[in-house]
Amino acid sequence: MGSGGDKYKKYSIKKKIFVSRRNSKARKILNEFVLEPGLKKRGFQIFEPGDFSIKEQIKIFSNASAVVGAHGMGIANYGFANNDSVLFEIMQTNYPRVSYFRTCQLKNGKYFLYWINPVSSNFCDENDFYGSVLIDKNVFFSALDIAC
């Protein structure tokens, strides 16, 4: 868990957060590293939830005007974001969920869904039942630029 300090400071200023799933075992963005330069260019800070305590996560997300990430517990922190903020959720087509859409509605937020087919299970961890994704950066950033 995080200890705060310098690693927290960089998030306290940023308003746009990309929630990474690089350390998860399922539903990963396999080419997340390809997206990072474009996300940073657009003012996003890359956030790995496991690096921070719950209290730190709440503080970080309370400054968010936009949250982008794959469906999972990391983007549940959107609940602590500013009302009327943007949630841009990346979701596998075989794993439809409305939970964060509903959260966004309750906050009068702006919800965007990036719907994507998962890759073959041959490319995923054996416990990744719904599959991970490969994102075409050009299509992704075209959609993100409209949302944010």
Side-chain angles (χ1 to χ4, degrees), residues 10-138:
K10 69 180 179 180
Y11 294 101
S12 64
I13 306 166
K14 299 291 182 180
K15 300 294 183 194
K16 296 179 178 179
I17 299 171
F18 175 81
V19 180
S20 173
R21 287 187 58 85
R22 79 173 58 120
N23 293 327
S24 70
K25 296 202 182 293
R27 298 186 325 275
K28 289 181 162 186
I29 299 172
L30 297 173
N31 63 332
E32 182 177 308
F33 64 95
V34 171
L35 303 177
E36 287 182 8
L39 288 163
K40 289 177 181 176
K41 177 181 170 187
R42 289 165 173 81
F44 282 88
Q45 187 68 47
I46 311 302
F47 177 78
E48 177 57 55
D51 292 344
F52 296 89
S53 70
I54 299 294
K55 188 175 180 179
E56 290 169 332
Q57 291 180 47
I58 292 169
K59 286 181 184 176
I60 290 166
F61 279 82
S62 70
N63 289 319
S65 62
V67 176
V68 175
H71 180 85
M73 284 308 298
I75 65 168
N77 285 305
Y78 172 79
F80 304 114
N82 296 318
N83 284 346
D84 78 0
S85 56
V86 172
L87 175 59
F88 187 95
E89 183 176 14
I90 301 162
M91 188 183 300
Q92 288 87 333
T93 55
N94 65 343
Y95 194 71
R97 301 290 186 266
V98 298
S99 50
Y100 300 126
F101 169 70
R102 297 285 188 228
T103 302
C104 195
Q105 281 183 318
L106 291 170
K107 295 178 67 59
N108 293 317
K110 298 169 191 85
Y111 181 83
F112 295 86
L113 176 62
Y114 189 82
W115 201 229
I116 186 166
N117 290 318
V119 298
S120 165
S121 60
N122 295 337
F123 298 101
C124 302
D125 183 277
E126 64 184 34
N127 295 318
D128 190 353
F129 302 111
Y130 296 100
S132 292
V133 297
L134 282 170
I135 292 181
D136 178 317
K137 68 180 180 180
N138 295 324

